[in-house]
Amino acid sequence: MADELRQTMTQFWEEHSRDATVEEMMLDSSAELLSKEEKPEIISLLPCLDGFNVLELGAGIGRFTGHLAKLASQVTAVDFMQNFIDKNREDNGHRGNITFLQADVTVLDFPNDSYDFIFSNWLFMYLTDVELAAVTQKMLGWLRPGGYLFFRESCFYQSGDSERTFNPTVYRTPAQYNHLLTSVTSKSGDNGFDIVMSKSVQTYIKVRQQHPLLLMPISVVTQSINSQISDRLSQDPNHN
């Protein structure tokens, strides 16, 4: 059953990655406009990454890879579509601090304590609850003490307007993500995630007049709450 689900997901993204365009990756005809508006919004929420080793999951064609590489010491950009990785390398390969890796996150593995920060954009909604729990446990191992995760997903229903012959996406609620992420502990049982931020992507409210909870970037940290993110949100009247 699990193999069939991964095969279905692979088929879905093979259909939507043939030309490796931003419209394909975002599944939206207005992707150029949306990306231009939302990228600075999301990047503004990131903490200082100076000196960090960053893992980017679901890197796609590299909408955020170059920006992360500017801010961090090292970035490992992962996506399971080779066309996307090739486009990402074409656009960002001139930077000497990026490693490009084609891999399915469900079988991905790294040594413990490899990363300070994990950035994931529109990935978890392509995983079942069981797969997401397993990946969450692995991420807890990959992160160094005090490291943290920042992720964004479409909640409730699809955001892009691209036609789809089938749609295997899992549209969860923010509460479901909160529960899934915080209910998992590391293999040792010593570490878990604490939610420190839950926020709507304002670009989609502005451009699409869509429900403010449609897209939720949610940051989590291991054990201790990151003060940089908390301080930024305390000054933001739009955080939830």
Side-chain angles (χ1 to χ4, degrees):
M1 182 63 177
D3 289 342
E4 291 179 6
L5 289 171
R6 295 316 297 162
Q7 185 176 2
T8 299
M9 203 63 70
T10 300
Q11 180 185 349
F12 177 79
W13 277 109
E14 284 177 345
E15 182 178 321
H16 295 286
S17 64
R18 292 167 183 162
D19 298 317
T21 64
V22 67
E23 288 80 12
E24 282 185 320
M25 194 185 68
M26 294 181 69
L27 298 170
D28 200 301
S29 62
S30 301
E32 287 284 356
L33 172 61
L34 290 167
S35 185
K36 181 179 179 180
E37 293 272 347
E38 73 159 10
K39 274 204 298 187
E41 177 185 352
I42 292 175
I43 290 169
S44 72
L45 296 173
L46 300 179
C48 176
L49 300 180
D50 185 37
F52 277 21
N53 195 359
V54 173
L55 174 62
E56 183 187 13
L57 299 176
I61 62 174
R63 286 200 308 133
F64 292 99
T65 305
H67 290 278
L68 292 171
K70 288 179 184 178
L71 301 173
S73 290
Q74 181 67 35
V75 175
T76 300
V78 181
D79 200 277
F80 83 139
M81 285 293 102
Q82 187 64 54
N83 283 0
F84 284 165
I85 285 293
D86 290 344
K87 177 61 174 173
N88 195 346
R89 183 183 288 108
E90 177 185 330
D91 291 346
N92 295 300
H94 63 283
R95 300 183 184 280
N97 63 337
I98 304 174
T99 299
F100 301 93
L101 178 61
Q102 185 276 322
D104 186 331
V105 70
T106 62
V107 297
L108 187 66
D109 206 5
F110 295 104
N112 285 344
D113 301 331
S114 293
Y115 297 99
D116 304 289
F117 183 82
I118 297 176
F119 180 91
S120 177
N121 185 63
W122 279 327
L123 171 66
F124 297 164
M125 62 192 198
Y126 299 111
L127 302 176
T128 65
D129 288 357
V130 172
E131 290 170 336
L132 179 53
V135 169
T136 299
Q137 186 172 72
K138 290 197 291 186
M139 289 190 295
L140 284 167
W142 299 338
L143 284 168
R144 293 168 180 155
Y148 43 97
L149 162 72
F150 184 102
F151 72 93
R152 185 275 289 277
E153 303 295 333
S154 294
C155 295
F156 301 112
Y157 46 83
Q158 76 178 49
S159 56
D161 62 4
S162 295
E163 292 186 7
R164 306 164 205 200
T165 56
F166 66 102
N167 188 1
T169 313
V170 181
Y171 297 107
R172 300 179 177 94
T173 67
Q176 287 173 321
Y177 276 114
N178 289 357
H179 173 72
L180 283 166
L181 269 291
T182 58
S183 63
V184 177
T185 59
S186 60
K187 289 184 178 180
S188 65
D190 296 332
N191 295 320
F193 282 123
D194 292 322
I195 303 296
V196 298
M197 189 259 275
S198 177
K199 187 181 186 298
S200 305
V201 177
Q202 298 300 303
T203 295
Y204 278 78
I205 303 171
K206 173 185 174 183
V207 176
R208 285 287 178 75
Q209 291 78 50
Q210 290 177 326
H211 193 284
L213 292 181
L214 174 62
L215 295 172
M216 297 291 295
I218 303 172
S219 291
V220 286
V221 297
T222 20
Q223 297 298 355
S224 58
I225 295 178
N226 183 275
S227 60
Q228 296 178 71
I229 296 178
S230 298
D231 289 345
R232 290 189 186 201
L233 288 174
S234 67
Q235 302 168 11
D236 185 350
N238 295 313
H239 82 276
N240 295 318

